[in-house]
Amino acid sequence: MTNPTTTTDSQAVKHLRDYRLLSFDVYGTLIDWESGIYTALLPLIDRSSSGHSLAERANVLQIFTNHERNIQATNPWMLYPEVLRRACKAVALDLDIECEPQEADEDEEFRGGGESWEAFAESFGASVGQWKAFGDTVEAMKKLGARYKLVALSNVDRTSLEATLRGPLEGIRFDAVYTAEEIGSYKPSLSNFEYLLEHVEKDFGVKKEEVLHVAQSLVHDHVPAKTMGLESVWIERGGEKSSMGGNEEELREQINYRWRFKDLAELAQAAEKDFAVIPPSSEDIPASPYEKALHLIDEAHAQDPTTISINGHETPYELHYARKMTSYLDKLYPDAPPTLRLAIRAQHFRRWEVPRSSYPMTKPGYYAWRTGLKTRQATQASQICLSAGFSAVDADRIAALIRKEDLKQDDETQVLEDVACLVFLDDQFEEFERLHDEEKILGILRKTWRKMGENGRREVGNIEMSERARGLVEKALNG
């Protein structure tokens, strides 16, 4: 990793962990755009006269890039396959290649197999989904997706991008995809970046200062990013040898990326390092199995990319949630055994890694998500407890509590359920009630009340709530 020489001293120091969402250019950053274009153009290049200096790879790509950019700028409404077809024809003319039949009834073969010029141009325009991903892309994106929301901001049409997502980018989950087709313009138009920032705030509640744009092209992405005040990461992908990205020296005054990496693998590695909790010194390592397990569980919670402001300090949300759970346990059951304490502390263990959107957005999908989470969290927490020195029996007990086995028959499982319900009412309910209609809210409150034991229900009266939230609770219980 190299730090950008263009970052100004006036910028406050930020870390990769300070962002919530990464937006990505796709073709050139995730997909090898240059090799894809050049390979698809080879039948055309082969028809150029041998020794033609313009037919060299770098020259062909530079010619193509110039034509593509001009076509996109003058025809912002044009779908990308048509842009490719027109740019292809312009390159052919520059290479002195005859594209049209000399006579109306002549069916000129363009390449082996009897393909005509029109058929070739059509297949070239539809070749986007066949362009290969860089070797590090898929693994790096999966790592980044575990820590950030991922959004694609692409200069292609929806159909072409979907073909890429089904093909070379299979396995990568984007939280949103914004294309030139729906925006109505191509980068470097500022309209594309305005659309990005407007929609990530509307769709995810993410502010501009929480977005980091990741791209290879200086011209298409980093120049407009600076104009918009959007922080960015330059993925070199060939650096000065790249034909599509622009020359860094020539653009120095127009760009201001914060980080610079040679590829996505370097970015993912840097993010992992930045999110990692610094291990304690040897004299600070907890001694007992309980203390070791608690330390390891909280260490994992501290990696949650979503944060909440507590007394002016940004705290990973799952660490905040775990502490809330423990605080209510202390109120209900101050003498709780270590197994129950750890089960409650690990109730949402690494939950952010399995978002709701990873399951079908249906009622059965919701229940499958919840069941999968409980199983996953129980397994991971029990493994931590075993590594910390707990017996297999105690580790199994912790897993069973996290899975909420024998609820209503097991007193400790009921305590865990009470604590979870109290944290929901204390920490999450007021935001929940702002997002849903009253009928749904009342139904959820009644369901929550039915799940609670007497000790938990008595504690509800001690929770500080707004007047509206308290009124809804009372209406639900009296209805």
Side-chain angles (χ1 to χ4, degrees):
M1 183 192 98
T2 54
N3 289 319
T5 57
T6 50
T7 299
T8 63
D9 293 335
S10 62
Q11 288 180 315
V13 175
K14 290 189 75 170
H15 302 280
L16 287 166
R17 64 178 178 269
D18 293 332
Y19 301 91
R20 293 176 57 198
L21 183 148
L22 302 182
S23 55
F24 288 87
D25 163 66
V26 176
Y27 300 93
T29 306
L30 311 184
I31 295 293
D32 188 350
W33 181 90
E34 292 190 357
S35 294
I37 289 289
Y38 187 74
T39 300
L41 282 174
L42 280 175
L44 180 77
I45 297 165
D46 289 344
R47 289 176 62 92
S48 66
S49 46
S50 60
H52 199 311
S53 62
L54 294 181
E56 296 177 3
R57 175 181 165 120
N59 290 333
V60 169
L61 290 172
Q62 189 59 63
I63 293 169
F64 185 90
T65 298
N66 292 339
H67 284 304
E68 182 191 65
R69 194 179 303 165
N70 290 335
I71 294 167
Q72 289 172 334
T74 54
N75 304 276
W77 45 267
M78 186 177 289
L79 294 182
Y80 192 58
E82 180 60 25
V83 171
L84 289 178
R85 286 191 287 270
R86 293 194 184 192
C88 176
K89 185 171 184 177
V91 170
L93 294 175
D94 284 341
L95 296 179
D96 299 324
I97 297 171
E98 182 61 50
C99 300
E100 304 294 342
Q102 297 301 307
E103 299 179 10
D105 60 351
E106 182 181 353
D107 186 16
E108 182 181 3
E109 289 188 3
F110 189 73
R111 62 180 175 186
E115 185 174 44
S116 67
W117 158 254
E118 288 301 329
F120 169 74
E122 189 72 24
S123 64
F124 178 75
S127 67
V128 177
Q130 302 167 27
W131 302 347
K132 295 181 180 179
F134 289 103
D136 65 312
T137 292
V138 174
E139 182 178 356
M141 291 295 286
K142 287 181 177 179
K143 289 180 179 179
L144 293 169
R147 301 198 177 278
Y148 304 95
K149 289 190 177 298
L150 307 182
V151 171
L153 182 67
S154 180
N155 256 8
V156 304
D157 58 296
R158 176 71 66 162
T159 299
S160 295
L161 183 54
E162 287 177 349
T164 296
L165 294 176
R166 290 192 304 269
L169 296 188
E170 185 179 9
I172 296 176
R173 180 189 59 80
F174 283 104
D175 294 281
V177 169
Y178 308 137
T179 68
E181 177 181 2
E182 64 208 73
I183 298 170
S185 60
Y186 286 92
K187 297 181 294 181
S189 170
L190 296 184
S191 297
N192 296 62
F193 292 87
E194 290 167 351
Y195 187 98
L196 166 71
L197 295 176
E198 176 187 346
H199 281 73
V200 297
E201 182 168 6
K202 174 184 170 185
D203 297 343
F204 308 113
V206 176
K207 304 290 187 182
K208 179 172 72 174
E209 58 269 19
E210 299 174 306
V211 177
L212 188 62
H213 189 59
V214 183
Q216 183 273 338
S217 176
L218 299 174
V219 172
H220 293 86
D221 293 272
H222 292 282
V223 171
K226 180 182 178 181
T227 303
M228 294 291 296
L230 175 63
E231 294 184 337
S232 63
V233 174
W234 184 27
I235 305 298
E236 291 184 49
R237 295 296 193 199
E240 294 302 318
K241 296 180 181 180
S242 171
S243 299
M244 71 171 290
N247 184 283
E248 184 188 13
E249 192 61 36
E250 293 175 359
L251 297 169
R252 184 169 298 279
E253 297 303 316
Q254 301 176 60
I255 57 179
N256 197 28
Y257 53 81
R258 185 175 281 276
W259 285 278
R260 172 178 178 173
F261 302 97
K262 67 180 178 65
D263 54 29
L264 284 175
E266 273 198 358
L267 169 59
Q269 183 180 18
E272 288 291 309
K273 183 177 179 181
D274 200 17
F275 274 101
V277 176
I278 300 173
S281 59
S282 57
E283 62 267 22
D284 293 331
I285 295 176
S288 72
Y290 170 76
E291 290 172 326
K292 288 179 182 177
L294 182 64
H295 171 79
L296 292 171
I297 289 168
D298 281 355
E299 189 176 63
H301 288 326
Q303 296 176 25
D304 182 4
T306 301
T307 61
I308 184 172
S309 181
I310 307 293
N311 298 323
H313 298 285
E314 292 299 311
T315 301
Y317 178 75
E318 290 301 346
L319 184 59
H320 159 75
Y321 178 88
R323 289 168 176 167
K324 274 275 187 183
M325 292 283 286
T326 296
S327 71
Y328 273 105
L329 174 63
D330 289 338
K331 293 178 180 180
L332 297 183
Y333 193 178
D335 297 325
T339 49
L340 178 57
R341 287 190 168 278
L342 291 174
I344 279 179
R345 196 73 167 198
Q347 180 63 17
H348 278 185
F349 191 78
R350 305 192 79 89
R351 184 172 182 165
W352 73 87
E353 294 180 341
V354 186
R356 173 68 184 89
S357 58
S358 61
Y359 282 74
M361 301 303 289
T362 59
K363 194 169 184 179
Y366 171 76
Y367 288 122
W369 173 65
R370 290 290 300 273
T371 300
L373 278 175
K374 286 193 289 187
T375 301
R376 182 178 188 266
Q377 289 159 183
T379 300
Q380 292 179 336
S382 66
Q383 289 171 346
I384 280 181
C385 293
L386 284 170
S387 71
F390 276 86
S391 68
V393 172
D394 284 343
D396 287 344
R397 173 60 176 163
I398 290 165
L401 286 166
I402 292 173
R403 290 192 295 267
K404 298 183 182 179
E405 293 180 2
D406 298 321
L407 185 60
K408 298 297 184 183
Q409 281 76 47
D410 187 312
D411 290 343
E412 289 187 351
T413 304
Q414 184 59 60
V415 170
L416 187 148
E417 183 66 42
D418 287 349
V419 167
C421 290
L422 288 167
V423 173
F424 166 69
L425 292 171
D426 180 8
D427 195 58
Q428 301 167 332
F429 174 61
E430 292 199 16
E431 180 180 358
F432 176 83
E433 64 94 1
R434 287 195 294 269
L435 299 176
H436 300 284
D437 60 73
E438 183 171 305
E439 183 179 354
K440 181 171 183 178
I441 294 166
L442 295 177
I444 292 295
L445 287 171
R446 289 168 184 144
K447 184 177 180 180
T448 300
W449 189 257
R450 288 195 298 270
K451 292 192 296 183
M452 298 178 74
E454 287 304 316
N455 290 339
R457 291 176 179 179
R458 280 194 294 269
E459 187 61 33
V460 172
N462 296 323
I463 297 176
E464 292 185 9
M465 294 183 182
S466 68
E467 184 176 342
R468 169 174 165 74
R470 177 66 66 187
L472 286 168
V473 172
E474 291 175 355
K475 185 174 182 178
L477 301 185
N478 294 329

